[in-house]
Amino acid sequence: MALSKKPVTGMKDILPEEMEIRDYVMNVIKETYGNFGFTSMETPCVENIANLNCKAGGENEKLIFKILKRGEKLKLSEAETEEDLVDGGLRYDLTVPLVRYYSNHANELPSPFKALQMGNVWRADRPQRGRYRQFMQCDIDILGEPSNLAEIELILATTTTLGKLGFRDFVIRINDRQILKAMANYSGFAEDDYDKVFIILDKMDKIGIEGVQAELMEAGYSKEQTGKYLGLFQGMEDAQDPVSYIMDALKDVLPAGVQENFREILESVEATKGDFFKLQFDPTLVRGMSYYTGTIFEVAMPEFGGSCGGGGRYDKMIGKFTGNDVPACGFSIGFERIILLLMENGFKVPGKGKKEAYLMEKGLPTEELCKVLRQAQAEREKGSQILVARMNKNKKFQKEQLCAQGYESFQEFYKEPLKNN
């Protein structure tokens, strides 16, 4: 039986053209986030299965690639449940590993801790455009900062990075889980039902307000509840200032300080940002992770037709590891989707030196070979990218391939000096 030359379903090989862009994007990300004071850190790709199943990952916990126990610990004949077989899993995001990392090293880290983490994650998901089972995530998080300075810095750092990569006219959608809960409370939904209501609300952009109402009614909620709930959204559509409208409507049920906090984020970002993106209050934004406790945000790119990143505040998550809550907020860029968009738009890495190929005829004397190598080294020291290669029999096809890789010029070296150009 022949071995398979194709990668596992949902995973992919990365060719040099894409790898060059990925390396460039990673360097831009690291440099830009570094300018905002974020520092790089790393966690293992494997986490304890109990951590991954701690009810912090939402639907992702159903998509874990689980790892069997090894050696004497794996007792197949005695196993009665999955817990008897599995003790680890591949991480499905970078947030759960970060929280474990911080809990383990808090005494060695500054406060607040501004973390940058880039690495592959794995989800047993259904592959589709821009979505794979193994993919790179890029997260920035601020741990230990209780004020909205964390949200402001995260939004500005993320949008600055996207701007440096050439993206324009994207939208940062922003909401607050406390506003979502206050709207549900105002409408008469039981607190235990909030997540069910939010799952249906999250479909608003696909099925519209009438579709949301129909699904809420099918789920058993009363006409009075659904009418009052969706009336808030209709009121915001008609209002000149949707934020003021909803804050006024919810003044009796909204926790103290939420309005001032939310407005300060909006005003601070608006006063600081460039004109290449919009900041938009979106009361239908839910974000699927159950660990979010406050502000939530998402990057919407028209050319992708969906989200290309998101995040929010998760003040209760570290407490699951340490017993003491620590304020935390993060923003993740959709790295793979950004690469996809750049590739589709024919992106070329800027600011590179010239790419030139030195093609040598087979049998070139050692003395001539050394001259070629010295010349290549001298050009490389000037910043040029020089490829030294043996000349193929089909030189025309070889050059066509090199041109496709971005090589702009060629020098040819032959055994007979008169042929050299």
Side-chain angles (χ1 to χ4, degrees), residues 23 30 78 107 116 130 152 187 199 219 226 229 232 266 275 282 290 322-323 336 356 363 379 386 389 394:
D23 286 342
K30 289 179 180 179
E78 300 176 14
N107 293 334
L116 162 61
I152 295 166
S187 305
I199 288 171
T226 57
Y229 188 52
L232 290 171
L266 295 177
D275 59 1
D282 186 349
S290 59
T322 65
E336 299 293 349
E356 188 172 19
E379 289 299 313
I386 307 296
N394 189 342

Side-chain angles (χ1 to χ4, degrees), residues 227-387:
K228 193 172 183 181
Y229 188 52
L230 298 175
L232 290 171
F233 295 97
Q234 291 171 327
M236 280 184 279
E237 285 184 7
D238 298 333
Q240 287 188 338
D241 184 351
V243 177
S244 293
Y245 171 85
I246 196 63
M247 296 300 181
D248 185 61
L250 303 176
K251 60 185 177 183
D252 294 330
V253 292
L254 199 62
V258 172
Q259 178 175 351
E260 294 77 10
N261 183 70
F262 194 71
R263 276 201 175 279
E264 189 171 53
I265 294 171
L266 295 177
E267 292 172 5
S268 299
V269 174
E270 283 288 353
T272 313
K273 76 180 188 69
D275 59 1
F276 55 90
F277 75 95
K278 293 180 181 178
L279 184 66
Q280 177 184 304
F281 169 51
D282 186 349
T284 69
L285 179 62
V286 174
R287 299 290 298 165
M289 298 300 190
S290 59
Y291 54 66
Y292 289 125
T293 58
T295 318
I296 49 177
F297 22 75
E298 201 163 86
V299 182
M301 288 191 175
E303 60 263 55
F304 185 78
S307 169
C308 283
R313 182 166 284 277
Y314 52 99
D315 287 347
K316 301 293 182 182
M317 197 169 168
I318 293 174
K320 292 185 176 182
F321 288 82
T322 65
N324 296 311
D325 290 334
V326 174
C329 197
F331 207 141
S332 178
I333 286 182
F335 184 88
E336 299 293 349
R337 295 180 179 184
I338 287 171
I339 297 297
L340 175 67
L341 290 174
L342 292 175
M343 295 283 291
E344 289 180 347
N345 292 330
F347 178 81
K348 299 296 182 184
V349 173
K352 296 194 66 173
K354 69 176 182 179
K355 293 181 71 172
E356 188 172 19
Y358 291 181
L359 303 180
M360 301 181 298
E361 186 180 23
K362 291 181 180 178
L364 193 72
T366 300
E367 183 179 347
E368 292 300 315
L369 170 62
C370 291
K371 288 182 181 179
V372 173
L373 294 175
R374 285 195 297 270
Q375 182 177 329
Q377 286 292 83
E379 289 299 313
R380 288 166 183 156
E381 289 174 4
K382 296 176 185 177
S384 297
Q385 182 174 333
I386 307 296
L387 172 72

